[in-house]
């Protein structure tokens, strides 16, 4: 399971929980402007926007999970098993493999509107990175500081949804999540008013009772509702510290603790949580065992370089002893 989110104060923030049962060895990866992006069917883009995000580097290629470019456009891929359907080559379209999708959009687009133009010609090509690294079934959220969309390549084509909620999780398709949210319209941050019956008057016996019924389970549908409620009711100051603290709290509301979701390989857990200040190009993260927020600033690197820059995750707790 995974959850992605956006958040805006003075700056704009984009990030996600990466929930899975094992790690590929991903690193915070900066792709500078002059690293040549070679596409399987679309030739080479020698110069493009610089990117920062989380990626698994293979054969000197950044396989991004989520990233932001220097213009503040961001993108995250989340699992979409059983629904993702990638296509054979279509001579009428821009054929991009799913693992090239983040570089293709973030390398060239500054806004969601520009991404929409590229998406109008796009087909997601059914071609593996290598036989050892087959394609993952994914869907994506793309966001700038003003709006978000969701992209799903399914049996009957490429679907693009406006995402007014600024949250995304996993299955089923995105339209379900928006409809499902309506089931929770009675939930509120305020004390509930009794509408049970006019024959009996209820008085709340404690705080937080307006949110009774908000789901707390780990399913994708429930995480969507919980994260949407938390994000849409979020209140924080505008400083960097207050904003990223609030962002990590939104993600924490749907984080997964080891042991609660069993898989064939073990347990699904929140391997990392990320929060990118998309205006400043600073990528913050925590890991399951490192609650300290660590940051990597793309503008401290040579963005005109040609080589990938990779920061291994700091994974152990950084405990500050106070005595
Ligand atoms: C597993 C990750 C998604 C996490 C998630 O959504 N979990 C939910 C599980 S569930 O539905 O609820 O069961 C996805 C997100 C990005 C994916 C990676 C990126 O797409 C980059 C490459 C792409 C290659 O084709 C496969 C390896 C890979 C390195 C992918 C492995 C894996 O599928 C990742 C890491």
């Amino acid at each position: 399971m995974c959850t992605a989110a956006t958040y805006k104060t003075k700056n704009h923030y984009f990030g996600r929980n990466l929930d899975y049962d094992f790690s590929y060895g991903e690193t915070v990866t900066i792709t500078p402007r002059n690293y040549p992006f070679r596409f399987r069917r679309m030739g080479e883009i020698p110069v493009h926007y610089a990117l920062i995000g989380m990626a698994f580097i293979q054969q000197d290629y950044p396989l991004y999970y989520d990233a932001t470019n220097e213009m503040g456009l961001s993108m995250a891929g989340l699992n979409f098993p059983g629904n993702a359907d990638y296509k054979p080559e279509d001579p009428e379209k821009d054929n991009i493999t799913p693992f090239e999708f983040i570089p293709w959009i973030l390398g060239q687009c500054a806004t969601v509107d520009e991404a929409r133009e590229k998406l109008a010609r796009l087909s997601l090509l059914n071609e593996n990175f290598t036989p050892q690294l087959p394609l993952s079934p994914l869907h994506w959220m793309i966001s700038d500081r003003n709006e978000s969309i969701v992209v799903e390549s399914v049996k009957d084509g490429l679907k693009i949804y406006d995402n007014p909620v600024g949250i995304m999780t996993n299955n089923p398709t995105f339209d379900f999540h928006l409809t499902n949210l309506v089931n929770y319209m009675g939930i509120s941050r305020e004390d509930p008013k009794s509408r049970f019956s006019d024959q009996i008057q209820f008085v709340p016996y404690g705080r937080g009772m307006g949110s009774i019924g908000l789901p707390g389970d780990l399913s994708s549908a429930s995480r969507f509702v919980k994260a949407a409620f938390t994000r849409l009711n979020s209140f924080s100051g505008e400083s960097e510290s207050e904003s990223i603290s609030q962002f990590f709290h939104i993600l924490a509301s749907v984080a997964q603790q080891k042991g609660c979701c069993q898989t064939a390989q073990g347990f699904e857990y929140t391997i990392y949580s990320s929060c990118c200040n998309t205006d400043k190009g600073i990528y913050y993260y925590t890991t399951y065992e490192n609650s300290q927020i660590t940051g990597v600033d793309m503008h401290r690197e040579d963005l005109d370089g040609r080589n990938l820059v990779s920061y291994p995750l700091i994974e152990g707790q950084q405990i500050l002893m106070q005595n």
Side-chain angles (χ1 to χ4, degrees):
M1 295 164 248
C2 275
T3 307
T6 65
Y7 187 56
K8 191 146 85 172
T9 56
K10 192 168 70 208
N11 286 150
H12 182 255
Y13 300 86
F14 178 96
R16 62 106 52 85
N17 284 341
L18 189 290
D19 307 330
Y20 214 43
D21 45 9
F22 71 96
S23 162
Y24 285 84
E26 54 278 350
T27 61
V28 178
T29 302
I30 296 151
T31 304
R33 296 174 189 123
N34 294 306
Y35 168 94
F37 272 132
R38 293 188 189 95
F39 295 92
R40 294 275 167 104
R41 296 289 188 285
M42 298 300 294
E44 180 176 309
I45 302 188
V47 186
H48 47 77
Y49 293 133
L51 273 60
I52 185 166
M54 197 65 83
F56 173 43
I57 301 180
Q58 278 293 286
Q59 302 171 7
D60 195 39
Y61 189 85
L63 291 164
Y64 275 110
Y65 305 7
D66 53 86
T68 293
N69 70 14
E70 58 185 304
M71 306 307 285
L73 188 67
S74 308
M75 219 170 142
L78 290 84
N79 239 15
F80 193 41
N83 279 309
D85 187 64
Y86 304 132
K87 309 295 177 193
E89 185 164 1
D90 179 344
E92 308 285 304
K93 294 276 174 68
D94 293 348
N95 294 278
I96 294 294
T97 70
F99 63 81
E100 297 169 331
F101 191 24
I102 291 181
W104 177 252
I105 295 294
L106 297 192
Q108 305 181 88
C109 305
T111 61
V112 166
D113 260 346
E114 288 183 21
R116 276 198 185 93
E117 284 171 31
K118 288 259 172 278
L119 293 169
R121 294 195 303 273
L122 185 108
S123 179
L124 284 177
L125 180 69
N126 190 4
E127 187 168 302
N128 293 336
F129 182 72
T130 58
Q132 297 72 35
L133 273 184
L135 290 179
S136 302
L138 301 176
H139 56 174
W140 291 264
M141 180 156 86
I142 306 178
S143 309
D144 61 21
R145 63 182 352 270
N146 299 314
E147 60 176 324
S148 291
I149 56 173
V150 166
V151 181
E152 299 186 334
S153 181
V154 293
K155 279 247 150 22
D156 51 323
L158 196 75
K159 306 276 178 198
I160 298 154
Y161 299 97
D162 289 338
N163 181 351
V165 180
I167 291 292
M168 193 180 157
T169 59
N170 304 105
N171 274 334
T173 53
F174 188 71
D175 49 347
F176 166 89
H177 291 293
L178 287 185
T179 307
N180 184 44
L181 213 45
V182 181
N183 292 327
Y184 298 90
M185 68 193 280
I187 285 176
S188 167
R189 52 157 59 154
E190 291 170 18
D191 286 340
K193 309 237 178 328
S194 177
R195 293 199 190 93
F196 195 82
S197 158
D198 52 13
Q199 295 169 48
I200 181 164
Q201 274 313 303
F202 292 133
V203 179
Y205 54 77
R207 290 181 177 171
M209 292 179 68
S211 64
I212 287 181
L214 189 61
D217 65 87
L218 302 178
S219 70
S220 171
S222 294
R223 280 182 287 109
F224 189 92
V225 176
K226 178 87 191 283
F229 179 80
T230 312
R231 178 202 179 273
L232 294 170
N233 286 292
S234 266
F235 174 83
S236 74
E238 303 236 294
S239 70
E240 188 75 340
S241 169
E242 290 164 302
S243 304
I244 63 174
S245 299
Q246 186 68 15
F247 193 95
F248 280 109
H249 282 301
I250 296 169
L251 291 181
S253 74
V254 287
Q256 297 197 48
Q257 299 76 24
K258 273 186 193 170
C260 297
C261 172
Q262 188 150 19
T263 68
Q265 265 104 289
F267 294 108
E268 188 148 300
Y269 65 101
T270 300
I271 295 176
Y272 71 83
S273 302
S274 67
C275 165
C276 187
N277 180 326
T278 67
D279 297 314
K280 294 189 176 153
I282 303 176
Y283 190 94
Y284 302 98
Y285 70 88
T286 59
T287 70
Y288 194 76
E289 277 186 41
N290 180 7
S291 320
Q292 185 189 60
I293 295 170
T294 307
V296 179
D297 182 345
M298 78 190 295
H299 295 288
R300 290 191 190 176
E301 305 296 332
D302 174 15
L303 293 185
D304 287 322
R306 292 179 56 84
N307 299 317
L308 298 178
V309 179
S310 164
Y311 285 94
L313 302 189
I314 298 171
E315 300 207 69
Q317 287 297 356
Q318 311 293 304
I319 296 171
L320 176 70
M321 292 297 297
Q322 236 189 328
N323 67 357

